[in-house]
């Protein structure tokens, strides 16, 4: 059971006390005539709960009352909260009296004194309701400050004043103020339970982890910058040290380079060799260049010789082919036995007259054919050899290009160093630059541990971001409003409200009730008749409070309704509270409305308390049993004989 009201108490200026007793976990009805103080009850409770302004109407109540008080039933124990009535021209008072215990008796007027102020009272009431640390941060791009829900925000869901319960543009108490309406929108996710009680702890944890992650990433970035940009400088310094003869270390990593530089920096200046540079590096490069040029010349000569041989071979091949073709076309070996046929007339020749040139021609043809076959075998090998020579020549060209660049670099370095005029000064200059670099360089730790820490922090941040994401909160709100919509639609049909044939829902962004009709969404502001507006106020607040009770949400478990029957039973029809002047249809509608209230309270008993102020006084037993007091025939909230402040003066 969250906070419920056991008594509403008033203290007069002369020390008298007036208590209105109420029952926790039930419907309480205060019925009576007009101008008896019924509507002031909400303002009194609101004032005792830390309102910034006393909205109790000016007149007999403000003039006759010195202190307003409420006795509360808490989850564990009871509390009494009293607040001094402000002076005639004052808006409020900072004087609060608070007493707590397992049970608390109503104090006498003489016991009342200031024990805390408004801020302290709100803090206590907020804790009694069950509101834990919470924080709503505005979305990116919005400038409104962060907001923590307090009992003041929760009370917007607990009060329905006479002029609010009938208003079609306003569903919740106090939301005619746009700033407070926005504050309620921001705190509703927490009050409804879409944001759990650990939300603030998780937000704080996320902020802490992000701060740690930024620190680690900044440290890693600094080291990366030092190792990245610094590596080039460190390598350059070590190269200069090698060229000056101060080191012969060759390194592959930044750490090794720094270690080598530290070793160079420890070299005593007195031990530095003062001999002039021998130019050994430039001499080596010059020798290398001369060898490369000689290799280049030799390869070019070999390539030219090979290409010349290939050209001669191809010329011989063409000539031999031509000679073979000539011999083949004569046909001197066809049509007869070689040596017995005339090559001109094809007649048989005597053996004694065979021409000796035939054998010679035959031998020449065989020799030409053999030479052509040899050339055909050698030609591919010659082309391959030329290709290999050209490949080696290309590699020599590349080596010459690299050699030229290195010689130019050494030449430029020697030119810059030559300005120092002496090798000892050059070496001292290099040692000084190395020392300055090392002194200005912070110690660079091993980044493995930092990287593992950063990865762990990123994983934790990602998990918390998912748990705290707006998408997850939105999903929870959609689920909650869907559950509420079921009860609202069911109750709207029992009250026979307009649009009850369509699904109804709470629009938490616009703080209103919406009917999803076939023609589109119809908000409460576009629905007609006071009966519907009152009905939709009732079903929305009853559904919310049942949810608060069932889910143990930190909202006071009482609902204050001021004259919900006013559209059926206006004050001018009130004679003695009976509804004799009301039509049968209106009496039936009022009965359905009250029955719904009693039913909703009974379904979650004793978790919800409803306090109604009414003109109507039904004769039904269930209604009469709920009547706390009847204010008629002179009985009012403030007794007639109470003195008014300043009346004796």
């Amino acid at each position: 059971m969250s906070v419920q009201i056991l008594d509403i108490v008033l203290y007069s200026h002369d020390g008298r006390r007036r208590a209105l007793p109420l029952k926790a976990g039930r419907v309480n009805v205060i019925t009576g005539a007009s101008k008896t103080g019924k509507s002031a009850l909400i303002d009194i409770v609101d004032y005792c709960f830390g309102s910034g302004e006393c909205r109790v109407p000016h007149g007999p109540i403000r003039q006759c009352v010195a202190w307003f008080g409420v006795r509360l039933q808490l989850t564990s124990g009871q509390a009494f909260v009293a607040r001094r009535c402000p002076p005639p021209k004052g808006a409020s008072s900072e004087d609060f009296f608070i007493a707590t215990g397992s049970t608390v008796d109503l104090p006498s007027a003489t016991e009342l004194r200031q024990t805390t102020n408004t801020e302290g009272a709100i803090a206590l009431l907020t804790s009694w309701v069950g509101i834990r640390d919470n924080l709503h941060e505005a979305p990116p791009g919005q400038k409104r400050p962060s907001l923590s829900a307090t009992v003041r925000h929760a009370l917007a869901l607990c009060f329905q004043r006479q002029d609010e319960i009938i208003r079609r543009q306003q569903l919740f108490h106090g939301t005619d103020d746009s700033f407070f309406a926005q504050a309620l929108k921001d705190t509703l996710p927490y009050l409804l339970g879409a944001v759990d009680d650990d939300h603030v702890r998780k937000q704080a944890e996320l902020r802490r982890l992000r701060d740690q992650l930024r620190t680690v990433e900044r440290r890693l970035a600094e080291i990366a910058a030092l190792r990245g940009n610094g590596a080039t400088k460190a390598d350059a310094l070590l190269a200069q040290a090698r060229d000056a003869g101060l080191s012969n270390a060759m390194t592959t990593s930044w750490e090794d380079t720094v270690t080598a530089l530290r070793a160079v920096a420890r070299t005593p200046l007195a031990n530095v060799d003062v001999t002039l540079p021998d130019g050994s590096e430039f001499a080596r490069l010059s020798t290398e260049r001369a060898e490369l040029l000689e290799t280049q010349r030799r390869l070019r000569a070999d390539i030219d010789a090979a290409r010349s041989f290939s050209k001669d071979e191809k010329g011989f091949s063409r000539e031999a082919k031509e000679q073979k073709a000539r011999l083949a076309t004569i046909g001197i070996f066809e049509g007869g036995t070689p040596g017995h046929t005339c090559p001109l007339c094809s007649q048989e020749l005597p053996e004694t007259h065979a021409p000796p040139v035939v054998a010679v021609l035959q031998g020449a043809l065989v020799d030409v054919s053999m030479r052509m076959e040899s050339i055909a075998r050698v030609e591919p090998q010659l082309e391959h050899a030329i290709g290999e020579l050209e490949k080696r020549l290309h590699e020599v060209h590349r080596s010459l290009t690299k050699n030229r660049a290195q010689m130019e670099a050494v030449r430029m370095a020697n030119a810059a160093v030559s300005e120092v005029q002496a090798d000892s000064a050059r070496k001292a200059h290099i040692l000084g630059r190395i020392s300055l670099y090392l002194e200005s360089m912070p110690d660079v730790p091993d980044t493995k541990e930092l990287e593992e820490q950063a990865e762990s922090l990123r994983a934790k941040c990602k998990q918390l971001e998912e748990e705290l994401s707006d998408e997850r909160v939105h999903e929870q709100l959609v689920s909650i409003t869907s559950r509420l919509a079921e009860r609202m639609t069911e109750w709207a049909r029992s009250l026979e409200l307009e649009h009850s044939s369509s699904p109804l829902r709470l629009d938490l962004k616009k703080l209103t009730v919406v009917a999803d009709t076939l023609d589109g969404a119809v908000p409460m502001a576009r629905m007609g008749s006071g009966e519907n507006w009152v009905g939709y106020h009732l079903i929305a607040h009853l559904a919310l409070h049942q949810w608060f009770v069932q889910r143990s949400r930190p909202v006071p478990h009482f609902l204050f309704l001021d004259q919900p029957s006013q559209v059926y039973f206006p004050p001018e029809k009130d004679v003695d509270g009976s509804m004799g002047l009301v039509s049968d249809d209106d009496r039936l509608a009022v009965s359905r409305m009250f029955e719904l209230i009693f039913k909703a309270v009974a379904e979650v008993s004793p978790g919800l308390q409803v306090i109604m102020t009414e003109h109507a006084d039904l004769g039904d037993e269930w209604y009469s049993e709920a009547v706390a007091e009847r204010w008629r025939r002179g009985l009012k909230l403030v007794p007639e004989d109470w003195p008014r402040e300043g009346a004796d003066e």
Side-chain angles (χ1 to χ4, degrees):
M1 180 185 295
S2 181
V3 172
Q4 295 187 8
I5 302 173
L6 298 177
D7 297 277
I8 299 175
V9 189
L10 283 66
Y11 292 87
S12 69
H13 294 287
D14 61 358
R16 281 180 278 181
R17 185 179 67 199
R18 161 80 161 99
L20 171 62
L22 302 170
K23 295 179 181 179
R26 297 182 57 181
V27 177
N28 296 264
V29 180
I30 298 93
T31 181
S34 298
K35 300 181 181 180
T36 55
K38 298 190 304 297
S39 295
L41 293 176
I42 287 179
D43 297 322
I44 291 171
V45 175
D46 191 27
Y47 184 62
C48 291
F49 270 75
S51 172
E53 178 183 354
C54 181
R55 295 184 177 84
V56 177
H58 285 275
I61 300 178
R62 291 278 289 269
Q63 294 172 346
C64 297
V65 176
W67 287 78
F68 297 105
V70 289
R71 187 164 67 100
L72 305 174
Q73 180 65 54
L74 310 180
T75 302
S76 176
Q78 296 179 357
F80 180 79
V81 179
R83 188 176 185 183
R84 190 185 299 276
C85 181
K89 295 183 180 180
S92 64
S93 172
E94 285 291 303
D95 294 353
F96 274 85
F97 171 84
I98 294 181
T100 59
S102 56
T103 59
V104 177
D105 295 328
L106 297 180
S108 64
T110 58
E111 297 177 76
L112 300 180
R113 65 193 186 284
Q114 182 180 10
T115 59
T116 187
N117 57 13
T118 304
E119 184 178 354
I122 291 176
L124 281 173
L125 288 161
T126 298
S127 66
W128 293 341
V129 168
I131 296 177
R132 303 290 180 260
D133 289 340
N134 64 93
L135 184 69
H136 173 81
E137 295 180 343
Q142 298 188 14
K143 296 183 179 180
R144 65 179 186 271
S146 300
L147 177 67
S148 295
T150 70
V151 70
R152 298 301 310 161
H153 302 102
L155 286 172
L157 309 170
C158 300
F159 295 141
Q160 285 287 279
R161 296 174 54 176
Q162 180 181 1
D163 59 337
E164 292 173 336
I165 199 170
I166 199 173
R167 192 175 298 176
R168 62 178 177 176
Q169 296 91 354
Q170 178 185 340
L171 181 61
F172 297 110
H173 174 70
T175 52
D176 51 341
D177 181 337
S178 60
F179 291 101
F180 183 76
Q182 183 60 57
L184 183 59
K185 294 177 187 178
D186 291 341
T187 55
L188 265 175
Y190 171 75
L191 298 176
L192 286 168
V195 174
D196 58 28
D197 291 338
D198 288 337
H199 194 79
V200 171
R201 181 189 61 78
K202 291 178 180 178
Q203 283 182 324
E205 178 70 7
L206 180 59
R207 285 193 295 271
R208 185 183 65 80
L209 291 175
R210 283 174 173 170
D211 289 341
Q212 291 183 0
L213 179 59
R214 280 192 293 268
T215 301
V216 173
E217 288 179 337
R218 185 163 54 247
R219 181 62 176 151
L220 286 171
E222 292 172 354
I223 296 174
L226 187 60
R227 289 183 172 178
N229 299 333
T232 303
K233 186 172 183 180
D235 290 338
L237 288 172
L238 186 58
Q240 292 179 17
R242 285 197 302 267
D243 188 59
L246 295 172
S247 175
N248 58 0
M250 302 297 295
T251 60
T252 57
S253 66
W254 180 83
E255 290 84 355
D256 293 341
T257 303
V258 172
T259 301
L261 288 176
R262 294 187 190 279
V264 172
R266 289 193 294 268
T267 302
L269 191 59
N271 296 339
V272 174
D273 186 8
V274 297
T275 59
L276 294 175
D278 56 5
S280 59
E281 181 68 11
F282 190 82
R284 184 188 67 79
L285 291 173
S286 297
T287 302
E288 179 183 287
R289 182 170 184 82
E291 293 174 353
L292 289 171
L293 289 172
E294 175 61 23
T295 303
Q296 182 187 52
R297 185 195 62 75
R298 187 173 64 254
L299 287 172
R300 283 177 175 173
D302 291 345
I303 291 172
D304 290 342
R307 285 177 175 168
S308 177
F309 179 78
S310 176
K311 182 178 179 181
D312 293 342
E313 175 270 330
K314 289 179 180 178
F316 174 78
S317 177
R318 286 194 300 270
E319 183 66 25
K321 287 179 181 178
E322 184 177 351
Q323 293 299 330
K324 182 180 179 181
R326 288 174 182 175
L327 292 173
T329 55
I330 293 175
I332 58 175
F333 301 116
E334 298 177 2
T337 303
H340 297 280
T341 304
C342 177
L344 298 177
C345 61
S346 298
Q347 294 182 0
E348 293 291 333
L349 294 176
E351 295 182 0
T352 57
H353 292 86
V357 291
V358 173
V360 175
L361 292 175
Q362 184 180 17
L365 181 60
V366 172
D367 183 62
V368 168
S369 298
M370 291 176 64
R371 289 177 178 271
M372 289 183 64
E373 291 176 1
S374 176
I375 291 172
R377 288 193 301 270
V378 172
E379 185 175 0
Q381 298 177 3
L382 186 61
E383 291 298 328
H384 177 73
I386 293 173
E388 288 294 327
L389 290 172
E390 289 179 341
K391 181 178 178 182
R392 289 177 58 192
L393 181 62
H394 179 70
E395 292 176 352
V396 170
H397 285 164
R398 289 172 53 189
S399 298
L400 282 170
T401 301
K402 180 178 179 182
N403 176 271
R404 187 182 302 111
Q406 291 175 339
M407 290 183 69
E408 184 64 22
V410 172
R411 185 183 295 111
M412 292 178 62
N414 286 337
V417 173
S418 64
E419 298 177 0
V420 183
Q421 298 296 323
D423 188 58
S424 59
R426 175 192 174 204
K427 292 179 178 179
H429 177 68
I430 293 173
L431 285 173
R433 294 187 62 195
I434 291 174
S435 298
L436 179 62
Y437 172 75
L438 294 174
E439 289 173 1
S440 62
M441 180 193 70
D443 292 334
V444 180
D446 185 4
T447 60
K448 182 178 180 181
E449 183 177 350
L450 283 174
E451 290 170 353
E452 292 177 351
Q453 184 180 359
E455 188 63 29
S456 175
L457 289 171
R458 290 190 193 98
K460 293 178 181 178
C461 286
K462 182 179 180 181
Q463 179 181 353
L464 286 175
E465 285 168 355
E466 291 176 354
E467 294 177 2
L468 300 174
S469 66
D470 292 338
E471 291 79 7
R472 177 168 292 191
V473 173
H474 178 70
E475 291 175 359
Q476 292 296 321
L477 287 175
V478 170
S479 175
I480 292 170
T481 53
S482 176
R483 297 289 300 273
L484 296 176
E486 296 178 3
R487 301 311 308 269
M488 291 171 59
T489 302
E490 174 190 348
W491 290 340
R493 291 170 182 169
S494 69
L495 295 180
E496 300 180 5
L497 300 178
E498 185 179 359
H499 301 296
S500 60
S501 59
S502 301
L504 300 169
R505 59 181 170 86
L506 275 175
D507 187 336
L508 299 181
K509 291 184 178 179
K510 297 181 179 179
L511 300 180
T512 190
V513 175
V514 175
D516 291 316
T517 69
L518 294 176
D519 297 325
V522 179
M524 187 172 64
R526 287 171 29 207
M527 299 177 185
S529 81
E531 294 91 335
N532 287 309
W533 303 331
V534 171
Y536 284 121
H537 276 253
L538 284 177
I539 63 173
H541 283 81
L542 290 173
L544 281 169
H545 274 273
Q546 280 199 343
W547 175 264
F548 296 148
V549 173
Q550 292 166 346
R551 306 301 297 176
S552 300
R553 296 310 303 159
V555 175
H557 288 181
F558 62 79
L559 177 60
F560 229 119
L561 305 173
D562 188 12
Q563 302 183 46
S565 69
Q566 59 186 290
V567 293
Y568 306 103
F569 190 52
E572 59 269 19
K573 293 185 179 182
D574 180 17
V575 178
D576 56 0
S578 66
M579 302 186 68
L581 300 179
V582 178
S583 67
D584 292 341
D585 289 341
D586 287 346
R587 281 199 301 271
L588 184 59
V590 171
S591 295
R592 284 199 299 264
M593 181 175 61
F594 287 157
E595 287 172 357
L596 173 62
I597 296 171
F598 278 76
K599 177 183 177 183
V601 172
E603 286 178 349
V604 292
S605 178
L608 176 60
Q609 177 188 44
V610 170
I611 303 168
M612 283 196 303
T613 57
E614 267 294 342
H615 284 282
D617 192 355
L618 304 185
D620 299 289
E621 182 179 355
W622 54 269
Y623 187 87
S624 297
E625 289 178 351
V627 174
E629 287 189 0
R630 291 179 171 86
W631 294 351
R632 299 183 186 279
R633 291 179 289 278
L635 181 60
K636 301 179 180 180
L637 175 62
V638 178
E640 292 283 357
D641 59 347
W642 276 20
R644 298 190 179 187
E645 186 178 29
D648 296 336
E649 297 179 359

